[in-house]
Amino acid sequence: MDIYGLIEKQVRDEAIKKVTIGAVIRFEDTYMVLRRTKTTYLEWYYEIPNGNMEFGETIDECIYRVVNEKIGCQVKGVERYLGHFDYISSDNKKTR
């Protein structure tokens, strides 16, 4: 089973209700971070591009969509899985 298959199985088995994907964007030797605006939650904090998986979407499809929506760039490829953490979201759902 590949890493994505394992992640998807864990999400099902552990009753994760929401999956948020974040992407570390590297271009040559530079990494991208985004800065939240003053009017958003945790204003002025820095973060990586991220967003929620949609129903029926694969992890790769989510990564490609989220990066395009957030910064208008096309993902060239996914190098590797960096890890995860769980939390309870603001709508009280177990999120990975």
Side-chain angles (χ1 to χ4, degrees):
M1 179 181 300
D2 69 348
I3 188 66
Y4 290 170
L6 179 61
I7 294 166
E8 289 165 356
K9 181 181 181 325
Q10 288 174 343
V11 165
R12 284 190 306 275
D13 292 350
E14 296 174 30
I16 305 295
K17 299 297 181 195
K18 192 173 178 181
V19 177
T20 299
I21 300 291
V24 175
I25 307 293
R26 180 176 59 86
F27 180 74
E28 297 174 355
D29 292 329
T30 304
Y31 292 87
M32 174 183 281
V33 292
L34 307 176
R35 188 172 184 190
R36 290 177 171 261
T37 63
K38 185 176 183 210
T39 59
T40 60
Y41 174 69
L42 297 174
E43 61 187 33
W44 302 127
Y45 275 57
Y46 290 90
E47 63 185 352
I48 59 177
N50 65 81
N52 296 325
M53 274 183 76
E54 296 177 354
F55 181 78
E57 192 172 46
T58 67
I59 294 170
D60 275 348
E61 289 168 344
C62 181
I63 292 167
Y64 285 72
R65 177 185 55 79
V66 164
V67 170
N68 186 270
E69 286 176 358
K70 298 284 182 170
I71 60 175
C73 291
Q74 301 297 316
V75 173
K76 203 166 151 183
V78 177
E79 289 186 13
R80 67 183 172 273
Y81 172 68
L82 297 176
H84 69 269
F85 59 93
D86 296 339
Y87 62 97
I88 303 300
S89 64
S90 59
D91 56 356
N92 207 33
K93 292 182 179 173
K94 186 174 181 182
T95 304
R96 172 157 299 160

